[in-house]
Amino acid sequence: MIKPLRKKYGLVVQGGTLRSIFSSGVLDAFISAEFNPFKYVVGVSGGAMCMSYYLAQQYKTTYKIMHELANDDKFMNWLNMFSEEGYINLNYLDEFTKRKFPLDLKTLTKKIRAKKVEIVTTSLEDGRPIYLRAKTNNWYKSLKASASIPFVTKGEVIIENLKVMDGGWSDPIPIKRAIENKCTDIIVIRTLPKFHREKWSYFGKIGGFWHRNTPSLSKRFHQDYVFYNEVADFLEMEHEGINIHQIAPENYLKTTSYSTSTNNLNEDYRLGMEMGINLLEILKVKKKLFS
């Protein structure tokens, strides 16, 4: 591999639904330190939401969103599992964030001018990852697409004439995408410990059966754990000319994908912020923290 002459910084943010409170803490530490050297940024599902408010420099906004939604029956309700909207109501999330915590699109437009920003989704046609170029005129819809999970939400979103769903099924931690975009120094924010490896799940089996008439998509569900474990192993390897800095909790977070409490959210957020600050110290970045 020919080493590039210049450094190019990339940021990769894994999803995790409510576990993304950890990523929110990390990115708020970055906002506090005015740390934003990234030329390429990519996020998945809940990670894409955290990434968006980070780029718009909206400190502690995802923290506030998750605190309000964690116990909101209009957002998550098992009684709606088989309704039109599903267990997680993405239409409600879309309306709620636009009304109470709108993205600062003016700042966002200015901040991403010299960046390439992508949001990961999965094609419902063949199961391949589709990387949506985030633009201010499609940002909200791209976020909705990346978080659309079969059986849990309505299941699909049509954007740019493509039927897509949650990007975590096709590229849960898009480190290879960052490398493809010629990034040399990459920060990866993970919501699961480095040692975590997935196992087959009933959810994957059900999804594989449901999409059995689309073999490539069915395979994505049946072997979702294989795809995750491959990228987790890739992150542990040395790659010539590439520096990867991982920020991941040492143990499982108190918050799970779909359940939490105020105390757990606060604890996981603080952990994320502490780990973000620690990395900045390692990278010798001068901090300017909010009081």
Side-chain angles (χ1 to χ4, degrees), residues 99-277:
R99 174 171 50 86
K100 294 201 69 173
F101 302 100
L103 278 166
D104 183 346
L105 296 177
K106 185 176 180 180
T107 299
L108 197 55
T109 300
K110 186 186 302 182
K111 293 294 183 181
I112 67 170
R113 197 164 288 156
K115 302 180 189 295
K116 181 178 181 180
V117 182
E118 292 186 319
I119 295 173
V120 185
T121 63
T122 300
S123 169
L124 277 166
E125 301 295 330
D126 55 19
R128 65 188 170 90
I130 294 178
Y131 305 94
L132 299 173
R133 184 72 181 265
K135 303 172 185 174
T136 51
N137 65 346
N138 75 350
W139 209 291
Y140 283 108
K141 194 167 186 178
S142 297
L143 289 177
K144 185 177 180 181
S146 187
S148 183
I149 309 170
F151 315 117
V152 178
T153 68
K154 194 170 182 179
E156 68 179 46
V157 172
I158 299 175
I159 185 168
E160 298 178 5
N161 296 317
L162 299 168
K163 285 186 177 182
V164 296
M165 65 174 187
D166 191 306
W169 290 95
S170 56
D171 197 353
I173 311 174
I175 178 64
K176 293 181 181 179
R177 180 68 174 178
I179 294 172
E180 287 172 6
N181 276 273
K182 297 181 170 47
C183 294
T184 59
D185 291 73
I186 307 164
I187 292 177
V188 180
I189 303 175
R190 301 174 65 174
T191 53
L192 289 166
K194 294 179 186 178
F195 65 76
H196 176 80
R197 295 296 183 273
E198 293 285 351
K199 299 177 181 178
W200 74 272
S201 66
Y202 287 109
F203 193 82
K205 294 296 182 184
I206 292 170
F209 178 77
W210 185 267
H211 293 285
R212 61 191 179 281
N213 293 325
T214 309
S216 54
L217 180 57
S218 179
K219 182 180 179 180
R220 280 290 173 190
F221 282 98
H222 276 305
Q223 298 188 10
D224 64 313
Y225 64 99
V226 175
F227 296 118
Y228 180 90
N229 294 342
E230 283 179 352
V231 73
D233 291 342
F234 181 86
L235 282 163
E236 298 305 310
M237 300 175 187
E238 295 288 333
H239 304 281
E240 185 181 359
I242 307 294
N243 296 311
I244 299 174
H245 306 278
Q246 297 187 66
I247 303 179
E250 291 186 5
N251 296 299
Y252 293 106
L253 298 172
K254 297 291 181 66
T255 302
T256 67
S257 292
Y258 305 116
S259 66
T260 190
S261 67
T262 297
N263 288 339
N264 288 345
L265 283 171
N266 286 337
E267 187 171 333
D268 292 335
Y269 173 81
R270 284 195 297 268
L271 176 63
M273 180 165 271
E274 288 169 5
M275 295 193 75
I277 292 169

Side-chain angles (χ1 to χ4, degrees), residues 88-106:
I88 295 178
N89 188 334
L90 291 182
N91 286 334
Y92 178 74
L93 175 62
D94 188 54
E95 181 275 330
F96 172 84
T97 52
K98 287 177 180 176
R99 174 171 50 86
K100 294 201 69 173
F101 302 100
L103 278 166
D104 183 346
L105 296 177
K106 185 176 180 180

